[in-house]
């Protein structure tokens, strides 16, 4: 790759793209709701939220000095992230707290990029994160899920025009913001029925000697605040 090509790619990556029309933003919002609200569709689309959830655990584990040993994604939309390090302390607490908060926070970050017109940058960053995550996947279903998701981002980034890229990017961010809200309510319902005894909230309760409900409240607060803030950016308010 010569310097001219590298410069051109860098300019494309960091350049500002025009905002889509408001009807596109509303349409992508409706599309995101259509794959989140119906239970049958959500059972499939939730896999993408699981990728973000487990990716959040993995990223924070690395950032806090833990050794990430692997990530597994399962067909029932559950997942498992394994890391080595002290089974207590701030690093373990942050790692455990990062799962339910990762999807809405990623959506908030994506909304900030879209609000600044950085559509191409968002697509490339998402592709890079998925490729990095693929290295740590330790089961076939998880690898297939990440490859399909990353391949979709790659194809949209390389083969489609600006309008399609913008619509795709907005749909993805709406999905993260809205889809990041539902899992905390699902966890709350499971715990009310006496299930999910080893959930992230319960692990955090044992790590910090505080009620699990306090951590569940944190998950709700992060997801709802991210939705409100990100939604304002996406709608240009």
């Amino acid at each position: 790759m010569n310097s001219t090509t590298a410069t051109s790619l860098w300019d494309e990556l960091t350049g500002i793209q025009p905002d889509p029309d408001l009807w596109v933003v509303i349409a992508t919002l409706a599309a995101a709701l259509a794959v989140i609200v119906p239970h049958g569709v959500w059972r499939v689309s939730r896999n993408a939220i699981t990728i973000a959830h487990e990716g959040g655990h993995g990223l924070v584990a690395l950032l806090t000095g833990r050794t990430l040993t692997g990530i597994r994604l399962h067909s029932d939309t559950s997942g498992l992230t394994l890391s080595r390090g002290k089974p207590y302390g701030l690093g373990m607490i942050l790692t455990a707290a990062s799962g339910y908060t990762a999807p809405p926070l990623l959506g908030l970050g994506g909304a900030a990029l879209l609000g600044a017109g950085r559509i191409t940058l968002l697509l490339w960053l998402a592709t890079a994160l998925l490729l990095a995550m693929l290295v740590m996947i330790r089961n076939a279903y998880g690898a297939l899920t990440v490859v399909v998701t990353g391949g979709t981002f790659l194809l949209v980034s390389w083969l489609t025009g600006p309008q399609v890229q913008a619509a795709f990017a907005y749909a993805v961010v709406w999905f993260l913001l809205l889809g990041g809200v539902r899992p905390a309510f699902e966890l709350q319902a499971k715990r009310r029925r006496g299930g999910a005894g080893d959930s992230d909230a319960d692990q955090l309760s044992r790590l910090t000697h505080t009620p699990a409900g306090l951590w569940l409240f944190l998950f709700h607060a992060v997801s709802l605040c991210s939705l409100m803030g990100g939604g304002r950016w996406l709608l240009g308010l």
Side-chain angles (χ1 to χ4, degrees):
M1 180 185 297
N2 58 41
S3 59
T4 302
T5 303
T7 301
S8 177
L9 286 174
W10 178 254
D11 290 341
E12 180 181 355
L13 179 63
T14 58
I16 296 176
Q17 292 76 42
D19 295 332
D21 295 334
L22 181 59
W23 72 265
V24 174
V25 179
I26 300 300
T28 54
L29 167 60
L33 287 171
V35 298
I36 292 171
V37 175
H39 180 70
V41 182
W42 173 243
R43 289 181 61 185
V44 177
S45 63
R46 197 184 193 280
N47 282 283
I49 295 297
T50 303
I51 291 175
H53 180 114
E54 299 303 330
H57 282 313
L59 178 60
V60 174
L62 290 173
L63 291 176
T64 55
R66 298 180 64 80
T67 301
L68 182 62
T69 57
I71 298 172
R72 301 178 69 89
L73 306 173
H74 304 133
S75 58
D76 62 355
T77 72
S78 65
L80 178 65
T81 298
L82 299 174
S83 62
R84 289 199 305 267
K86 293 190 300 183
Y88 55 87
L90 182 60
M92 188 63 196
I93 293 171
L94 292 176
T95 298
S98 61
Y100 279 92
T101 56
L105 289 177
L106 285 172
L108 183 63
L113 288 174
L114 293 181
R118 309 288 185 174
I119 296 172
T120 301
L121 180 59
L122 169 67
L123 295 176
W124 284 40
L125 281 175
T127 305
L129 288 173
L130 287 165
L131 288 175
M133 184 176 178
L134 180 61
V135 177
M136 300 307 303
I137 296 295
R138 295 294 181 264
N139 67 320
Y141 181 82
L144 176 63
T145 303
V146 175
V147 166
V148 170
T149 306
T152 302
F153 275 89
L154 191 60
L155 289 174
V156 171
S157 300
W158 282 100
L159 300 181
T160 64
Q163 292 181 338
V164 174
Q165 291 181 10
F168 178 76
Y170 271 77
V172 167
V173 172
W174 276 125
F175 176 77
L176 288 171
L177 290 171
L178 293 163
V181 172
R182 183 164 178 174
F185 283 99
E186 292 176 335
L187 175 59
Q188 182 176 359
K190 288 180 181 178
R191 296 190 75 255
R192 190 182 299 120
R193 296 192 297 267
D198 199 35
S199 70
D200 291 354
D202 292 282
Q203 292 182 41
L204 286 162
S205 175
R206 291 191 289 270
L207 285 167
T208 61
H209 306 290
T210 56
L214 179 65
W215 292 101
L216 189 58
F217 174 79
L218 173 68
F219 298 158
H220 282 308
V222 170
S223 62
L224 292 172
C225 289
S226 295
L227 175 59
M228 290 186 288
R232 289 179 60 85
W233 272 327
L234 295 179
L235 294 169
L237 300 178

